[in-house]
């Protein structure tokens, strides 16, 4: 989904903006996607290494490390993925003549390591970090593709495009933050046995579910406001947003109130993943509408 988001913005949205200069050639942008995905995959691997005990209790059928591959092999894969991601990031930062930007990839890789080994055990800290990193993967497109190509003559156009990126990043942050809490409820028993301090362990499953209900009102309100302000004159985009993004969110809101079983929360986590997917694909609908009106 990270890769899809970045590819959609570069190849569909940016490419269909009139006279929009981009800092990265298509093949270079694909390298940026590979760097993003490999570092994210490295974070996934180190998280699986550290979660062997928890996963063995809460989802034994999905255990990979220690069951399908050895812990030593997993560490080797983790190191290799990060070397690839950081190496590509260093190369791209020099391509756009911003060598200091390579630090972004090092910081993200280090944050994912700290998340897996320590930070996720702290109340809400892990949830916020994961949501921030997902949102940052969208902003990263602007940092490497737009910012280096910005000059005085196109600053207004670039600012508008970047503001759209930030809108999507904010939406991605909120949805992923809520989803991380839902996943914590789903994995509550395993996390408790591992001595973790997640929100459902501190507040209880029922109170956390009600809190998630309240939090979900935020993206619903923001989406209604955004559609009314920016998309009301673009009917097809407005209908898409209401049906495929707002609709599943309202369904989630109804279901979370009475959710109680592990299966319920797994289903709700999937619904939020679909909301993210449809949210990403909305940029395709917007781009097609722009081409149709050109």
């Amino acid at each position: 989904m990270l890769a899809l988001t970045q590819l959609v913005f570069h190849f569909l949205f940016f490419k269909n903006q009139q006279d929009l200069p981009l800092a990265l050639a298509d093949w270079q942008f694909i390298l940026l996607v590979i760097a993003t995905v490999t570092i994210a995959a490295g974070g996934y691997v180190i998280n699986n290494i550290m979660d062997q005990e928890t996963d063995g209790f809460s989802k034994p059928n999905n255990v990979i490390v220690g069951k399908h591959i050895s812990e030593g092999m997993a560490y080797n894969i983790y190191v290799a993925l990060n070397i690839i991601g950081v190496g590509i990031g260093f190369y791209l930062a020099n391509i756009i003549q911003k060598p200091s930007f390579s630090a972004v990839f090092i910081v993200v890789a280090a944050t994912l390591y700290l998340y897996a080994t320590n930070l996720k055990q702290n109340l809400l800290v892990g949830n916020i970090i994961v949501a921030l990193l997902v949102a940052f993967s969208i902003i990263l497109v602007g940092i490497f593709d737009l910012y280096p190509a910005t000059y005085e003559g196109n600053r207004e156009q670039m600012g508008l495009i970047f503001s759209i990126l930030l809108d999507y990043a904010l939406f991605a942050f909120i949805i992923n933050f809520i989803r991380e809490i839902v996943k914590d409820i789903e994995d509550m028993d395993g996390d408790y046995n591992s001595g973790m301090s997640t929100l459902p362990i501190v507040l209880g499953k029922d109170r956390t579910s009600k809190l998630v209900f309240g939090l979900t009102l935020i993206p619903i309100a923001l989406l209604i406001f955004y559609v009314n302000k920016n998309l009301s004159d673009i009917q097809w985009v407005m209908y898409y947003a209401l049906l495929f993004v707002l609709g599943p969110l309202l369904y989630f809101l109804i279901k979370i109130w009475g959710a109680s079983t592990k299966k319920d929360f797994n289903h709700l986590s999937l619904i939020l993943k679909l909301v993210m997917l449809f949210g990403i694909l909305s940029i395709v609908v917007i781009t097609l509408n722009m081409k149709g009106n050109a």
Side-chain angles (χ1 to χ4, degrees):
M1 201 171 290
L2 292 177
L4 176 64
T5 304
Q6 294 180 331
L7 291 169
V8 162
F9 270 105
H10 176 85
F11 287 100
L12 280 175
F13 189 58
F14 293 171
K15 290 283 188 176
N16 283 282
Q17 300 299 313
Q18 187 174 5
D19 301 323
L20 182 71
L22 299 174
L24 297 176
D26 291 348
W27 67 271
Q28 292 168 341
F29 188 83
I30 290 173
L31 286 179
L32 178 66
V33 174
I34 293 171
T36 303
V37 171
T38 52
I39 289 176
Y44 180 81
V45 172
I46 192 66
N47 196 55
N48 271 264
I49 293 171
M50 298 301 165
D51 273 1
Q52 290 179 71
E53 182 182 348
T54 304
D55 290 345
F57 182 85
S58 58
K59 41 188 175 182
N61 295 328
N62 294 331
V63 173
I64 298 174
V65 178
K67 186 175 181 180
H68 297 290
I69 62 172
S70 67
E71 186 174 311
M73 177 60 73
Y75 271 113
N76 290 335
I77 294 171
Y78 166 72
V79 172
L81 287 169
N82 279 285
I83 288 174
I84 293 170
V86 172
I88 293 175
F90 180 79
Y91 169 75
L92 291 175
N94 283 276
I95 283 290
I96 63 173
Q97 299 180 350
K98 303 286 184 182
S100 61
F101 283 12
S102 60
V104 166
F105 299 91
I106 299 171
V107 169
V108 170
T111 302
L112 285 169
Y113 178 82
L114 290 173
Y115 163 80
T117 56
N118 184 32
L119 295 178
K120 71 175 180 179
Q121 299 176 16
N122 300 318
L123 185 65
L124 288 180
V125 174
N127 308 105
I128 293 171
I129 286 175
V130 171
L132 279 174
L133 291 177
V134 171
F136 184 71
S137 70
I138 299 175
I139 298 172
L140 191 66
V141 175
I143 293 174
F144 275 81
D145 219 9
L146 299 180
Y147 176 72
T150 303
Y151 56 92
E152 192 60 38
N154 70 353
R155 196 172 299 278
E156 183 177 348
Q157 182 190 22
M158 289 297 202
L160 176 62
I161 300 297
F162 213 101
S163 70
I164 294 172
L165 276 178
L166 291 176
D167 290 338
Y168 274 83
L170 175 62
F171 184 75
F173 171 80
I174 296 171
I175 295 301
N176 276 279
F177 178 67
I178 294 172
R179 183 167 180 262
E180 285 299 309
I181 296 176
V182 171
K183 286 166 62 181
D184 281 345
I185 302 174
E186 182 185 351
D187 297 336
M188 181 178 173
D189 293 336
D191 290 341
Y192 179 80
N193 288 334
S194 299
M196 297 178 68
S197 180
T198 62
L199 200 62
I201 291 173
V202 173
L203 295 182
K205 185 182 294 185
D206 188 59
R207 288 181 180 178
T208 306
S209 296
K210 301 305 182 283
L211 176 62
V212 169
F213 178 92
L215 289 173
T216 308
L217 294 173
I218 297 173
I220 288 174
L222 288 175
L223 185 62
I224 292 172
F225 172 79
Y226 191 85
V227 168
N228 184 60
K229 181 182 178 183
N230 301 300
L231 304 176
S232 58
D233 295 332
I234 315 174
Q235 284 194 344
W236 283 111
V237 180
M238 181 182 69
Y239 293 151
Y240 175 90
L242 293 176
L243 183 61
F244 291 102
V245 184
L246 182 61
L249 273 176
L250 291 173
Y251 172 82
F252 174 88
L253 189 71
I254 294 167
K255 288 292 185 179
I256 190 66
W257 188 263
S260 59
T261 67
K262 186 180 179 71
K263 185 178 179 181
D264 290 339
F265 293 109
N266 180 266
H267 172 68
L268 290 170
S269 176
L270 177 62
I271 294 300
L272 290 180
K273 187 179 286 189
L274 289 174
V275 168
M276 272 295 298
L277 176 62
F278 289 132
I280 293 164
L281 294 178
S282 68
I283 203 70
V284 179
V285 180
I286 291 172
T287 304
L288 292 176
N289 184 81
M290 289 167 52
K291 289 181 70 175
N293 293 331

